[in-house]
Amino acid sequence: GVYDPNFRVTTEYNAYKLEIEEMLSRGENSVSDALKQNFLDEVSSIEEAIGAPTDTTVVNLINNLINL
């Protein structure tokens, strides 16, 4: 799984989604925005190291999280 970009992005998504939803529920929009940027940075790091996700479902997860 470590060398599978689909797996890696999905696990990062799952972790960040919980944190972002919690911050949004507390009205911490600026923290939520920072977490979204951190997630995008993680995705970029994964893409640079092992390649971009190839599963369209995973690509959609990225977009869905950013649009929360």
Side-chain angles (χ1 to χ4, degrees):
V2 174
Y3 297 105
D4 178 357
N6 295 308
F7 174 79
R8 293 278 306 278
V9 170
T10 300
T11 57
E12 291 295 334
Y13 165 84
N14 290 333
Y16 275 98
K17 183 175 185 240
L18 292 173
E19 293 179 41
I20 290 168
E21 286 177 339
E22 181 63 26
M23 290 300 105
L24 288 172
S25 75
R26 294 178 182 212
E28 297 288 347
N29 294 342
S30 63
V31 176
S32 173
D33 291 342
L35 287 168
K36 289 176 184 180
Q37 185 57 54
N38 291 348
F39 172 69
L40 289 175
D41 293 344
E42 285 288 332
V43 170
S44 292
S45 293
I46 291 167
E47 289 175 346
E48 289 175 15
I50 59 176
T54 55
D55 185 335
T56 56
T57 304
V58 175
V59 174
N60 289 336
L61 290 177
I62 297 168
N63 295 328
N64 290 341
L65 188 64
I66 298 309
N67 293 317
L68 274 180

